[in-house]
Amino acid sequence: MSDPEVPDTEVLALDAADPLASFRDAFEAPQGVIYLDGNSLGQLPKAAVGRLDTVVREEWGRGLIRSWNDAGWIGAQARLGGKIAGLIGAEPDEVIVSDSTSANLYKLVVAAMQARPGRAVVLSEPGDFPTDLYMIEGALRTMGGGRRLELRANADIEAALNAEVGLLVLCHSHYKTAAVRQMRELTRAGQAAGALVLWDLSHSGGVLEVDLNGCNADLAVGCTYKYLNGGPGSPAYLFVARRHQQTLVSPLSGWMGHARPFDFVDHYEAGGGIQRFACGTPPMLSLAGLEPGVDLALEAGTPRMAAKARALGDLFIRRTDGLEGVRLASPRDPSLRGGHVSLSHPDGYAIMQALIARGVIGDFREPDIMRFGFSPLPLSFAEVARAAEILADVLATRAYDDPIYRQRSAVT
Ligand SMILES: *Cc1c(COP(=O)(O)O)cnc(C)c1O
């Protein structure tokens, strides 16, 4: 196979018609890499480099403590939350950036179960992202009182909703298969049973159209280092619908959620609005690194991002259909699929390592899933078509049989 390949006319036409093509230039793109892992760690927006430099040298270096006021640090969590609200169908005062997705799950699970006394069950799905289930377990262990987590396959969720369920926790787009859950219907069903409903948007925010208020959602969390390109470990966001903001109380009652943090009084009094779900001093460097990615997503707009991610996924599916030993593990219907496409193969781990050695970076999830993420802003159709060709070549030549591709690293 010659290298590099010239894109065919279909691919050239897709790139020529791409309204988001100019966003590619806004990202750092390492030479020789086709990056299909923006669903795990998004690429670096070039603007983040300058922004971080300013925050470090000017605001921290010279401004020092004054920058909490003068550089707007103290309002950054709410300001960024307000921006992210525009990507997930929320109002600006319903979202705050704070802590990790894991910590936000804890806060909202405890707050929700305290608001549903007499109901002992948190209902969720098996097999989705583990930290969600771990945090529910930890929250319920702390709360005690016989509270427990029950898991039901997605198809059986509605039937399992009863008067014991205080909270339903679901991931909008599944981290392994990218299958999208029906937010409107499941929210309505949970609420009809008297439960609150919490959506994890980690694989949706910045890539799919999400309409939290249009679906009458109660609560949501999501992470920012995937499709929002916020940087490794950038802080997460949480959403609490306005109607719940005065009744739900965070169990992590840190001073940044206090009504008057700088009164330094001895007793906690939850602040008004979404600010009560903040906890400790915000991580300013990480918040600064996040903002450029969010701004790019707002400029592009979710309808265009979602349409392109689906089109990239469709192209990849068409070009990998029928490869020997490979099975599509994501919905073929793009309206039921999130931003990535998963292919399963018994040698998936070794194949992914061989792909990475050829510059095609995706990731692997147990037991046999190769994930290919289609971040709509930095990727071109030509890159996606080329990645499919390289996958076909790795399979045809059995390049993955080399034992070096079977060694496991800590992070897969
Ligand atoms: C990525 C992801 C998380 C990450 O949680 P952290 O606290 O940032 O490690 C949580 N839930 C889901 C569904 C995810 O996809």
Side-chain angles (χ1 to χ4, degrees):
M1 177 158 125
S2 62
D3 200 37
E5 293 285 309
V6 181
D8 54 70
T9 48
E10 185 202 7
V11 168
L12 288 171
L14 285 168
D15 273 325
D18 175 9
L20 300 180
S22 63
F23 283 87
R24 280 166 62 69
D25 278 345
F27 292 87
E28 290 292 340
Q31 278 293 312
V33 167
I34 298 177
Y35 192 69
L36 303 183
D37 215 357
N39 53 315
S40 265
L41 174 62
Q43 281 170 245
L44 170 64
K46 287 177 183 163
V49 179
R51 178 78 191 113
L52 282 165
D53 193 66
T54 302
V55 173
V56 171
R57 288 180 202 275
E58 301 295 326
E59 299 178 6
W60 179 13
R62 286 183 228 279
L64 289 166
I65 194 91
R66 293 168 292 189
S67 289
W68 284 108
N69 291 315
D70 298 348
W73 287 358
I74 199 66
Q77 290 179 284
R79 186 179 74 248
L80 268 165
K83 287 186 176 188
I84 290 172
L87 297 168
I88 56 177
E91 293 298 320
D93 63 356
E94 293 178 309
V95 181
I96 193 164
V97 173
S98 139
D99 305 305
S100 62
T101 303
S102 300
N104 288 337
L105 281 161
Y106 183 89
K107 291 189 275 192
L108 294 186
V109 168
V110 173
M113 289 305 278
Q114 282 176 337
R116 287 292 180 275
R119 289 176 178 245
V121 172
V122 173
L123 182 64
S124 192
E125 260 190 70
D128 213 316
F129 200 78
T131 206
D132 297 53
L133 303 182
Y134 302 163
M135 293 311 295
I136 297 168
E137 285 181 338
L140 298 185
R141 199 161 48 239
T142 308
M143 294 184 82
R147 291 184 181 82
R148 63 187 190 278
L149 170 62
E150 285 188 6
L151 301 177
R152 293 285 184 286
N154 192 261
D156 304 326
I157 287 283
E158 293 202 32
L161 285 163
N162 57 38
E164 271 209 296
V165 178
L167 177 67
L168 172 61
V169 179
L170 294 170
C171 294
H172 182 233
S173 174
H174 195 284
Y175 84 107
K176 249 190 223 179
T177 65
V180 171
R181 304 305 184 210
Q182 300 308 307
M183 182 179 284
R184 191 181 309 275
E185 291 71 19
L186 288 163
T187 298
R188 194 183 294 137
Q191 291 168 346
L196 290 164
V197 182
L198 192 172
W199 288 96
D200 188 328
L201 306 178
S202 290
H203 279 277
S204 306
V207 69
L208 294 187
E209 287 175 276
V210 177
D211 189 6
L212 287 173
N213 282 331
C215 295
N216 194 38
D218 296 305
L219 307 166
V221 298
C223 85
T224 61
Y225 47 79
K226 295 170 180 162
Y227 294 104
L228 287 172
N229 305 300
S234 57
Y237 56 90
L238 69 80
F239 158 90
V240 177
R242 221 181 256 156
R243 64 184 179 280
H244 295 309
Q245 288 179 359
Q246 298 311 314
T247 43
L248 298 192
V249 181
S250 172
L252 298 185
S253 42
W255 70 312
M256 284 295 149
H258 193 279
R260 295 170 306 281
F262 288 90
D263 278 7
F264 293 100
V265 294
D266 284 344
H267 294 289
Y268 182 76
E269 184 190 326
I274 195 70
Q275 188 65 35
R276 64 169 54 188
F277 297 95
C279 181
T281 304
M284 260 331 295
L285 298 183
S286 298
L287 283 165
L290 165 60
E291 194 151 10
V294 172
D295 287 341
L296 287 169
L298 283 168
E299 201 186 323
T302 38
R304 293 197 300 178
M305 292 193 294
K308 182 173 171 187
R310 289 195 179 112
L312 291 169
D314 284 344
L315 177 69
F316 189 74
I317 289 173
R318 280 201 310 277
R319 302 263 168 130
T320 54
D321 255 347
L323 290 180
E324 199 182 330
V326 172
R327 191 178 57 82
L328 178 63
S330 294
R332 189 174 289 272
D333 177 349
S335 71
L336 304 176
R337 194 176 71 228
H340 66 274
V341 167
S342 294
L343 302 179
S344 72
H345 187 289
D347 289 309
Y349 182 82
I351 294 167
M352 183 53 75
Q353 300 317 301
L355 282 173
I356 293 170
R358 298 273 301 266
V360 177
I361 302 183
D363 62 21
F364 173 80
R365 291 291 176 264
E366 294 290 351
D368 59 1
I369 298 275
M370 298 181 280
R371 291 195 312 178
F372 301 90
F374 301 110
S375 281
L377 301 186
L379 281 174
S380 68
F381 288 90
E383 284 179 296
V384 169
R386 179 75 186 133
E389 279 175 7
I390 295 174
L391 172 60
D393 189 63
V394 163
L395 288 166
T397 58
R398 296 192 65 96
Y400 60 90
D401 276 341
D402 190 322
I404 59 165
Y405 297 135
R406 292 177 192 269
Q407 288 160 14
R408 300 261 172 157
S409 310
V411 176
T412 57

